[in-house]
């Protein structure tokens, strides 16, 4: 039996070399983990995700923070797992101190670019983008998210009983969250394996 293919999308300022993706690749042997870099430009990033899912036969799409938002917006009919997704980036990202500044990515990127600038005008690109919520869309979130705040009620409104509260999360993912078999991410992912 072939392994299921998981595409994991990183968050804002990160890359496919994030510690979350590297941990999943190193420890989740029952899935074939795919990852690539996205940007803060939603139209091109979501299209890249949709094209990749179709071209590579991806079975499960997951993402964290802005990557979770991209997972929610992707028009793909496969299981999706959004971890602490940003729900309205045009508003919530505008409060970040990095907006309007040249900042470094947290991790090395495929294209070698290590700095970028996201402006308020860039955030306008998020307006009007609709989420594509399906019966196999799950959200994992926490009331301890120090960056986005407590979005549990909004998450529940989107996916109902497919919302999983995690005590293993702040905004950033901890090793406990991705632990096998006790981590909250693995618990949701295992429903699709």
């Amino acid at each position: 039996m072939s392994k299921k293919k998981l595409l994991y999308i990183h968050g804002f300022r990160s890359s496919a070399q994030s510690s979350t993706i590297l941990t999943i690749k190193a420890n989740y042997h029952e899935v074939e983990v795919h990852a690539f870099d996205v940007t803060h430009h939603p139209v091109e990033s979501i299209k890249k995700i949709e094209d990749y899912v179709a071209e590579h036969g991806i079975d499960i799409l997951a993402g964290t923070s802005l990557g979770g938002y991209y997972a929610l917006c992707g028009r793909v009919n496969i299981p999706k797992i959004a971890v602490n997704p940003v729900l309205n980036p045009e508003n919530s990202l505008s409060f970040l101190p990095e907006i309007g500044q040249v900042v470094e990515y947290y991790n090395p990127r495929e294209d070698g670019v290590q700095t970028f600038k996201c402006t308020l005008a860039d955030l306008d690109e998020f307006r009007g983008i609709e989420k594509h919520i399906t019966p196999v869309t799950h959200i994992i979130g926490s009331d301890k998210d120090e960056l986005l705040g407590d979005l549990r009620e909004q998450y529940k409104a989107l996916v109902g009983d497919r919302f999983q509260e995690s005590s293993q999360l702040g905004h950033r993912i901890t090793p406990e969250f991705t632990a096998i078999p006790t981590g909250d991410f693995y618990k949701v992912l295992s429903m699709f394996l």
Side-chain angles (χ1 to χ4, degrees):
M1 186 166 119
S2 64
K3 294 180 181 182
K4 296 265 181 141
K5 295 179 182 178
L6 168 70
L7 174 58
Y8 203 101
I9 307 299
H10 65 79
F12 186 74
R13 284 189 71 181
S14 195
S15 79
Q17 296 300 311
S18 75
S19 60
T20 300
I21 294 169
L22 296 178
T23 298
I24 291 171
K25 281 183 174 183
N27 297 300
Y28 286 51
H29 303 291
E30 62 272 50
V31 292
E32 181 181 310
V33 181
H34 295 243
F36 55 79
D37 294 344
V38 293
T39 70
H40 60 281
H41 297 289
V43 173
E44 73 181 43
S45 294
I46 294 167
K47 173 138 179 40
K48 185 176 180 181
I49 291 164
E50 292 169 346
D51 290 348
Y52 193 94
V53 166
E55 290 169 19
H56 296 273
I58 298 298
D59 300 296
I60 305 162
L61 175 61
T64 306
S65 190
L66 185 58
Y69 169 83
Y70 288 157
L72 292 176
C73 294
R75 296 194 68 76
V76 296
N77 291 312
I78 59 174
K80 299 191 282 187
I81 305 169
V83 180
N84 282 337
V86 177
L87 293 181
N88 299 298
E90 65 275 17
N91 297 322
S92 51
L93 293 183
S94 68
F95 296 105
L96 295 178
E98 295 99 327
I99 301 303
Q101 307 296 316
V102 174
V103 294
E104 289 188 13
Y105 287 105
Y106 294 127
N107 311 292
R109 291 179 56 90
E110 299 161 337
D111 58 11
V113 174
Q114 274 311 115
T115 62
F116 75 105
K117 183 177 182 177
C118 178
T119 66
L120 289 175
D122 291 332
L123 295 181
D124 281 341
E125 293 177 36
F126 288 94
R127 295 190 194 286
I129 293 180
E130 294 183 23
K131 295 169 190 70
H132 181 65
I133 308 300
T134 69
V136 286
T137 300
H138 289 256
I139 296 178
I140 306 171
S142 168
D143 65 340
K144 299 176 194 76
D145 188 328
E146 70 282 1
L147 186 63
L148 300 176
D150 185 355
L151 298 177
R152 292 176 298 167
E153 291 307 313
Q154 292 171 321
Y155 294 156
K156 288 176 196 172
L158 280 175
V159 297
D161 63 357
R162 295 181 320 277
F163 168 71
Q164 163 107 23
E165 187 168 345
S166 175
S167 62
Q168 300 171 332
L169 283 174
H171 184 70
R172 304 241 179 329
I173 291 180
T174 64
E176 296 80 20
F177 181 72
T178 54
I180 295 176
T182 59
D184 288 340
F185 179 73
Y186 187 78
K187 288 176 189 173
V188 174
L189 177 65
S190 64
M191 291 189 287
F192 308 114
L193 299 180

